[in-house]
Amino acid sequence: MPKASSWAPSLDELVFSLKSFAASMLALYIAFGMGLPRPFWAMLTAYVVSSPLSGTVRSKAVYRVAGTIVGCIASIVLTVELVNAPELLSLAVGLWVGGCLFISLLDRTPRSYAFMLAGYTAGLIVFPGVANPEAIFDTGLARVEEIILGIVCATVIHSVILPRGMGPVLLGKLDASLRDAERWTLDALEQVSTDARLRDRHKMAADLTELRVMTTHLPYDTSDLRWMTRPMRALQDRMVYLLPVLTAVHDRLGALRRPDGAMPPDLAPVVAAVRDWIAAGAAADPADATRLIDRLDRLEAAESSQATDGWEAATRFSFIRRLRSLVEIHRDCRDLRAHMATGDQALPDHLDPLARKRSRGVFHLDHGMAAWSAAAALLGITSVCAFWILTGWSSGSAAAMMVAVFTCFFASFDDPVPGIRLFLVYTMASLPLSAFYLLVVLPSFDSFPMLALCLAPTLVTLGVFVARPATMGKAMALIFGVGGSLSLLDTGNGDFASFLNSSIGQIVGIVGAMLVTRMCRSVGAAWSARRLLHIGWREIADMARTRGVPANDGFESRMLDRVGLLSARLAQAGGSVDVDAIDAVRDLRVGLNIVELQRARPVLDRAGGAALDRLLRGVAVHFRALSAKRPDPAPAALLGSMDELLSAIGTAPLCPERDRAVVALASLRRSLFPVAALEPPPLANEEIPQTMHQERASA
């Protein structure tokens, strides 16, 4: 049993609930005044679009209006053309809903709401409208007016009355992520051993993904931070590289330490200086970062000519370069955070190129699962419509509407069934309360103030629980149940028989959506985790097989997004996935190093193009053959190709591309063979290609 104090609402929860109730009552009052046929739909819409953060309400409002209008147009066209062929009309609506859902799932920005609403709005209009197709235009127009009215009322109320901007929340999460990054950096530099290190990486990736998603709402926020969108995005773009660079520094430190645990004498002082600068935090002198970078540049220049003398030299050179990158990232993050505090929306001159190079809105997209979700929506709608047509059931339209709505609402979940089941349980739990309002309470009142007064206790109480993430789904199900039943008054069907028939239709529709989803769309967290890994591995293999410089298509952001998504799946999967055998951050580093090697081709083609091709072919074969259930280590023959390529790079003239190739090759070796000894590379010989061929054949 929860503690009594846990039921008491906080001030923010109470304010949100009162604002949501005010928005719903305003929408209901205006709908009554306009003579709209379904005013309670406006009331429900106001609750659907409400959010504790005003920025998210405003950012989605325009897209929701656009989606509603597009869905209305589609419903009118489909009904006019196919009303005399109910089977074709059902198929057309199912295809429309599934197609819109597919596009929505491939757009992880506020814009996705436009596509999702365009989909199921057609179902909300077409299915009830087939009983009176001559009035489909009026019906569609009324639905658009009711829904837009609810959206506008909710947006105005949450934006004007005590708006809770997302700026402070976003800044709080950003500052917490920066503190965590500094803490983890200190742990890495001090070689602190922790069992939670891998989970810390995943948590950091998940936090960065959450920040990026929240930032998409920032331009619509009510706080002054909305003017800081460019610095915020630039800061997050720098943090994207922090995760792979930091893991690389930690790995190189471990590789370079002597058996007694001591650092090489020439590297120990600079590592200590970097550690002290990180520990100073925002209070550090900005000039210290410049001095550290200059010191690392001098050390790097001294090591450059010997970087290809062996793997220990290459690893030292890679460590110095990565340590310099680590200092640069922390410096840029601190500068951008301090710049945001000044309120200047323009980026500093030395950081402006970061904004121009960023890959805005690059997220992991799963076309396969989006297609399966669309297929589930199509199958559910056509199945329920077939039952409706064959039986002539008068409330079949309610069931068809529910299938369209629920196959869309929960499509982004790995397993939508628990969410749909929860909604079903609480929809059924709302029936006694709905019947009491519909059949006993409301018929006794004939004025709007009394109607609002009688709805207030229930809706304000439920609104408090909507503000709590843990209870939002349950509370929304109860609000939907009550509001959906009250809409029977709109059509003059507020009697027990109509209430019972409509409730059965809703329940059948929800059950139908749940059964279809379980049959063809429901997957577990472990399955999703393995799918994420395989998609990442295939992308790495494709990059390795492509001859040429990869396009700047946001691989880093996409892979980091997968790391964040993977962390949630691994936590849910429990012991069904070997967490210790899976390191998606290592895969991110492998991909970045492959990109660097590909970009160094102009130099490497003259010195060791054949060796590079053999190495990348072997890497591609390895990642194509990987299995999440049995993540085999990289084939040992790749070590020979790496040795050959390092020797070939040593014959190239000194230049920045050569240095980047050495760093990328040493990093790739450490990522794929973390326990390999730092030995000098053997001379290139003719047996290495044959060995590679045999290893690939065995794979």
Side-chain angles (χ1 to χ4, degrees):
M1 291 291 292
K3 297 180 180 179
S5 59
S6 66
W7 295 96
S10 67
L11 180 59
D12 287 339
E13 292 169 348
L14 185 59
V15 169
F16 166 76
S17 181
L18 291 174
K19 289 195 297 183
S20 299
F21 178 73
S24 67
M25 291 300 102
L26 177 61
L28 185 62
Y29 180 77
I30 296 175
F32 277 132
M34 294 175 61
L36 296 179
R38 293 285 186 100
F40 281 99
W41 278 38
M43 182 193 81
L44 275 177
T45 302
Y47 268 101
V48 171
V49 303
S50 293
S51 172
L53 301 178
S54 56
T56 59
V57 178
R58 289 153 59 103
S59 69
K60 299 173 185 176
V62 175
Y63 296 114
R64 280 170 166 151
V65 170
T68 301
I69 294 174
V70 172
C72 173
I73 295 173
S75 64
I76 294 173
V77 172
L78 293 176
T79 303
V80 170
E81 296 294 331
L82 300 173
V83 68
N84 294 320
E87 297 84 0
L88 291 179
L89 179 60
S90 302
L91 178 61
V93 174
L95 288 172
W96 173 262
V97 174
C100 291
L101 178 61
F102 176 79
I103 299 173
S104 172
L105 293 175
L106 295 181
D107 188 338
R108 294 171 57 195
T109 68
R111 187 172 54 237
S112 65
Y113 289 90
F115 300 108
M116 182 181 293
L117 270 176
Y120 70 73
T121 295
L124 295 177
I125 295 174
V126 170
F127 294 133
V130 294
N132 188 17
E134 296 82 6
I136 188 62
F137 180 82
D138 294 334
T139 302
L141 180 61
R143 292 299 88 77
V144 170
E145 291 174 339
E146 292 152 4
I147 293 173
I148 291 179
L149 179 60
I151 293 172
V152 171
C153 289
T155 303
V156 171
I157 292 295
H158 286 282
S159 300
V160 174
I161 301 177
L162 298 176
R164 187 186 177 198
M166 69 185 311
V169 178
L170 185 57
L171 280 181
K173 289 184 177 294
L174 179 63
D175 290 339
S177 296
L178 290 173
R179 288 193 299 270
D180 289 343
E182 290 178 347
R183 174 183 56 81
W184 189 32
T185 301
L186 291 174
D187 290 344
L189 294 176
E190 295 171 0
Q191 289 288 286
V192 175
S193 178
T194 170
D195 295 336
R197 182 164 50 87
L198 184 58
R199 290 176 175 82
D200 286 343
R201 298 180 191 177
H202 289 165
K203 179 182 181 299
M204 183 176 178
D207 290 344
L208 288 177
T209 297
E210 183 181 4
L211 284 171
R212 291 170 61 213
V213 173
M214 291 181 67
T215 304
T216 62
H217 302 285
L218 189 57
Y220 306 90
D221 196 31
T222 55
S223 69
D224 292 337
L225 193 65
R226 67 181 180 274
W227 309 116
M228 296 293 105
T229 302
R230 292 186 70 224
M232 179 69 73
R233 284 173 172 156
L235 193 154
Q236 291 171 20
D237 286 341
R238 292 305 281 154
M239 293 182 70
V240 162
Y241 290 94
L242 182 60
L243 193 62
V245 169
L246 187 52
T247 56
V249 168
H250 182 273
D251 172 79
R252 305 301 181 275
L253 268 176
L256 293 173
R257 285 187 182 276
R258 297 175 176 177
D260 60 358
M263 281 289 298
D266 56 335
L267 295 180
V270 71
V271 172
V274 172
R275 184 173 61 244
D276 293 341
W277 178 74
I278 295 291
D285 185 352
D288 289 343
T290 303
R291 285 190 287 269
L292 274 176
I293 291 174
D294 291 342
R295 184 175 178 181
L296 288 166
D297 285 341
R298 291 192 299 271
L299 191 58
E300 179 183 323
E303 296 279 343
S304 178
S305 59
Q306 293 85 29
T308 59
D309 289 351
W311 286 116
E312 183 172 2
T315 302
R316 283 171 55 90
F317 188 69
S318 171
F319 169 71
I320 296 168
R321 177 68 67 89
R322 296 300 188 226
L323 189 62
R324 184 188 190 280
S325 298
L326 183 65
V327 174
E328 279 188 324
I329 292 173
H330 276 287
R331 179 202 63 185
D332 293 344
C333 288
R334 290 177 180 179
D335 288 350
L336 284 165
R337 181 65 184 91
H339 182 75
M340 289 167 58
T342 66
D344 185 0
Q345 60 181 323
L347 288 175
D349 293 338
H350 71 288
L351 292 174
D352 189 61
L354 300 176
R356 291 198 296 268
K357 294 180 180 179
R358 69 171 177 262
S359 52
R360 182 188 301 181
V362 178
F363 296 102
H364 161 75
L365 302 178
D366 193 336
H367 293 78
M369 290 307 296
W372 273 115
S373 298
L378 172 61
L379 179 60
I381 290 172
T382 53
S383 299
V384 171
C385 286
F387 178 77
W388 177 19
I389 294 170
L390 292 173
T391 61
W393 181 24
S394 60
S395 292
S397 61
M401 286 192 300
M402 291 299 103
V403 171
V405 170
F406 282 93
T407 51
C408 291
F409 266 9
F410 297 93
S412 61
F413 289 38
D414 290 331
D415 186 1
V417 171
I420 299 176
R421 184 190 299 118
L422 178 71
F423 220 96
L424 172 63
V425 170
Y426 281 87
T427 297
M428 296 177 66
S430 72
L431 294 181
L433 183 61
S434 301
F436 177 72
Y437 267 111
L438 179 66
L439 304 176
V440 178
V441 178
L442 295 189
S444 304
F445 298 103
D446 57 0
S447 67
F448 183 82
M450 294 304 296
L451 172 63
L453 187 62
C454 97
L455 290 174
T458 297
L459 294 182
V460 171
T461 301
L462 292 176
V464 170
F465 292 99
V466 171
R468 301 176 181 178
T471 57
M472 182 187 69
K474 302 172 184 178
M476 284 302 300
L478 293 171
I479 291 175
F480 263 79
V482 173
S485 298
L486 294 180
S487 65
L488 293 174
L489 288 174
D490 300 334
T491 57
N493 295 319
D495 56 85
F496 181 75
S498 299
F499 167 75
L500 183 62
N501 212 13
S502 175
S503 300
I504 293 174
Q506 292 182 46
I507 292 173
V508 169
I510 299 174
V511 171
M514 183 172 65
L515 293 178
V516 169
T517 301
R518 178 182 290 278
M519 180 175 63
C520 63
R521 169 60 181 82
S522 181
V523 297
W527 188 92
S528 293
R530 296 187 182 102
R531 180 174 177 82
L532 282 168
L533 288 168
H534 278 290
I535 291 174
W537 291 337
R538 283 199 300 270
E539 185 169 5
I540 292 173
D542 291 341
M543 287 195 307
R545 292 172 58 186
T546 302
R547 182 178 178 84
V549 179
N552 185 19
D553 62 348
F555 167 78
E556 302 91 339
S557 296
R558 192 162 50 250
M559 280 296 293
L560 186 72
D561 187 25
R562 290 189 188 119
V563 175
L565 295 173
L566 184 64
S567 64
R569 271 69 177 185
L570 293 176
Q572 297 171 17
S576 58
V577 177
D578 186 1
V579 177
D580 294 331
I582 293 173
D583 189 352
V585 180
R586 176 202 60 203
D587 298 335
L588 170 59
R589 284 163 40 205
V590 169
L592 293 175
N593 293 323
I594 289 175
V595 170
E596 285 297 309
L597 288 173
Q598 295 279 29
R599 289 174 179 167
R601 270 192 182 276
V603 172
L604 298 184
D605 280 343
R606 295 191 296 269
L612 176 62
D613 289 338
R614 282 191 290 272
L615 172 62
L616 293 183
R617 282 199 302 270
V619 172
V621 170
H622 168 62
F623 276 94
R624 276 286 179 183
L626 277 178
S627 168
K629 294 183 179 179
R630 185 176 51 84
D632 295 329
L638 287 177
L639 284 170
S641 289
M642 292 179 181
D643 294 343
E644 182 185 7
L645 181 57
L646 183 63
S647 297
I649 294 174
T651 65
L654 293 176
C655 62
E657 289 77 11
R658 174 188 179 273
D659 290 345
R660 285 201 296 268
V662 173
V663 172
L665 183 60
S667 300
L668 184 63
R669 187 178 189 269
R670 290 296 307 169
S671 297
L672 296 179
F673 302 99
V675 297
L678 301 181
E679 299 173 348
L683 295 176
N685 56 65
E686 299 298 327
E687 297 182 358
I688 292 175
Q690 179 65 24
T691 305
M692 281 291 299
H693 175 74
Q694 295 174 353
E695 187 64 34
R696 289 198 299 271
S698 65

